[in-house]
Amino acid sequence: MKLLVKVLYRIYQIVVVLPVLVLVTILTATSVGIGTTLGDGHFWGYYPGRWWARAIIRVCLLPVTVEGRENLEKDQSYVFVSNHQGAFDIFLIYGFLGRNFKWMMKYQLGKIPFVGYACRKSHQIFVDKRGVGKVRQTYEVARKTLEQGNLSVVVFPEGSRSFTGHMGTFKKGGFLLADELQLPVVPLTINGSFDIMPRTRDWRFANWHPLRLTIHQPIYPVGQGPQNVQATMHQAYDSVMSALDEKYQGFVENPDQ
């Protein structure tokens, strides 16, 4: 029975999911391009992407649970930091976090057809590590974005997706940004994304599996400087880890971190 369901779900992905994915991606990129050129960049830089992500999750028939929305204040800017289990992390956070934000993402993603165009037009923040000057420029852009008010950023502090579903180490970048602007850090825990499409199975059939996003309580700055950065990073790491499914508990080093 399980094999039959798996086969039917794969046929469904070919017949329904793939055409819908292509169509909504093109429509989203086009609407972002036109909207950010003619209208409110904050609106068009976020909502089409949110609808795009929700559409993909829904057409894949994946159930979503979100816990902890009550931990967020309405008009507060945050630096969200999340574990990075798999490709569906993007859809889950974009579609269901419920906050207007910018991504801090690898500059290579800007080369993806349609998606890269939409990201550039909506002023997502590309992290370029090809030299100290480019890194500095990245965080200057992020700082200016957050200073506009009522905007947040989402960072994957591991830097890359997990090979095992376990968490690797956190890098300091997002925490340094939060420290500089004295913004609260909100840890996010993603469960289920690795089970749907692990990194070792990119561009293959997705597995059906529920998704869960846990929004933890904000970590407010206590002072400013290296001590605050370290304390916030350790507390965020422990919070994210605490809500992971038991089978993914514990540190496992990722080879490309």
Side-chain angles (χ1 to χ4, degrees), residues 65-67 81-85 89 92-93 167 170 186-192 211-216 236-245 248-249:
T65 302
V66 180
E67 303 169 341
V81 296
S82 173
N83 62 315
H84 204 358
Q85 277 203 337
D89 298 346
L92 180 60
I93 292 176
M167 284 171 58
F170 276 5
V186 177
L188 305 174
T189 302
I190 291 173
N191 281 294
L211 285 162
R212 186 171 79 250
L213 176 66
T214 303
I215 305 169
H216 297 274
Y237 191 94
D238 290 343
S239 294
V240 176
M241 180 73 76
S242 69
L244 276 176
D245 288 341
Y248 297 127
Q249 287 282 332

Side-chain angles (χ1 to χ4, degrees), residues 31-44:
S31 65
V32 169
I34 295 172
T36 53
T37 300
L38 301 178
D40 182 355
H42 287 326
F43 178 91
W44 291 102

Side-chain angles (χ1 to χ4, degrees), residues 69-81 97 99-102 146 150-155 177-178 183-186 215-220:
R69 279 207 183 101
E70 68 278 4
N71 292 326
L72 304 180
E73 298 179 23
K74 182 179 179 181
D75 296 320
Q76 174 68 53
S77 294
Y78 296 105
V79 175
F80 292 98
V81 296
L97 180 59
R99 304 289 293 201
N100 197 330
F101 67 86
K102 302 295 184 186
L146 285 169
N150 203 24
L151 273 179
S152 299
V153 296
V154 174
V155 184
L177 179 65
L183 288 175
V185 169
V186 177
I215 305 169
H216 297 274
Q217 292 186 352
I219 304 169
Y220 288 88

Side-chain angles (χ1 to χ4, degrees), residues 8 23 30 59-60 116 146 166-167:
L8 290 175
L23 178 61
T30 303
V59 78
C60 288
L146 285 169
H166 296 77
M167 284 171 58

Side-chain angles (χ1 to χ4, degrees), residues 191-212:
N191 281 294
S193 180
F194 183 81
D195 300 279
I196 293 170
M197 186 176 289
R199 184 174 179 178
T200 53
R201 297 186 71 251
D202 278 349
W203 305 106
R204 301 183 188 181
F205 289 106
N207 301 312
W208 186 93
H209 196 281
L211 285 162
R212 186 171 79 250

